[in-house]
């Protein structure tokens, strides 16, 4: 089992930046592929991006590609989501998630952190 706690959300103006953090506890952090999803009110949950366990290879959703960057620190057991060039449509609750293999479902989720981008 792994427990995930997100932080770093808040209110920012369009064009601004935020960095979200997700601290993991429980099993060794580098066992897990980590991901970020988001969900805006009245919308489906949307894939933001993912990062592999040790090589740090990242993949992003089309709506955030080129603006968001995922990184991880396997010593600090933390994954980060750096968000630049924020737009009002980025407003959502952002969730950190983990899975044990690249093909498994994301079985572990944090409680989410709210990001609000004002125009």
């Amino acid at each position: 089992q792994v427990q995930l706690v997100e932080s770093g959300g808040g209110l920012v103006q369009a064009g601004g930046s935020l960095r979200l953090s997700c601290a993991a506890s429980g099993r060794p952090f580098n066992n897990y592929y980590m991901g970020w999803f988001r969900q805006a009110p009245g919308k489906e949950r949307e894939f933001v991006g993912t990062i592999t366990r040790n090589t740090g290879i990242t993949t992003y959703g089309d709506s955030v590609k080129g603006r968001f960057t995922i990184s991880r620190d396997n010593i600090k057991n933390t994954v980060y989501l750096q968000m630049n060039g924020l737009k009002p449509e980025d407003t959502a609750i952002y969730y950190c998630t983990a899975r044990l293999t690249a093909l498994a479902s994301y079985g572990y989720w944090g409680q989410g952190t709210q990001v609000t981008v004002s125009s």
Side-chain angles (χ1 to χ4, degrees):
Q1 289 265 349
V2 64
Q3 292 78 45
L4 305 172
V5 179
E6 302 96 335
S7 62
L11 174 64
V12 64
Q13 288 190 330
S17 299
L18 277 177
R19 189 177 80 156
L20 306 183
S21 300
C22 172
S25 60
R27 283 190 172 178
F29 181 62
N30 61 358
N31 281 1
Y32 295 90
Y33 294 79
M34 302 299 297
W36 288 93
F37 284 75
R38 67 186 184 184
Q39 189 164 20
K43 293 191 175 181
E44 300 267 326
R45 188 168 58 193
E46 179 186 12
F47 171 75
V48 174
T50 187
I51 187 166
T52 56
R53 291 181 296 192
N54 295 300
T55 56
I57 296 171
T58 53
T59 305
Y60 299 96
D62 288 342
S63 61
V64 306
K65 207 172 291 183
R67 299 187 298 122
F68 290 11
T69 303
I70 297 174
S71 61
R72 67 188 294 163
D73 185 331
N74 286 346
I75 303 299
K76 294 183 178 179
N77 293 346
T78 302
V79 63
Y80 304 97
L81 178 64
Q82 177 67 45
M83 304 184 293
N84 298 328
L86 282 161
K87 306 174 182 179
E89 52 264 43
D90 294 318
T91 295
I93 299 175
Y94 283 71
Y95 296 93
C96 173
T97 185
R99 59 184 178 181
L100 281 169
T101 73
L103 298 180
S105 300
Y106 283 103
Y108 305 97
W109 294 83
Q111 82 288 351
T113 187
Q114 176 71 48
V115 172
T116 302
V117 185
S118 64
S119 55

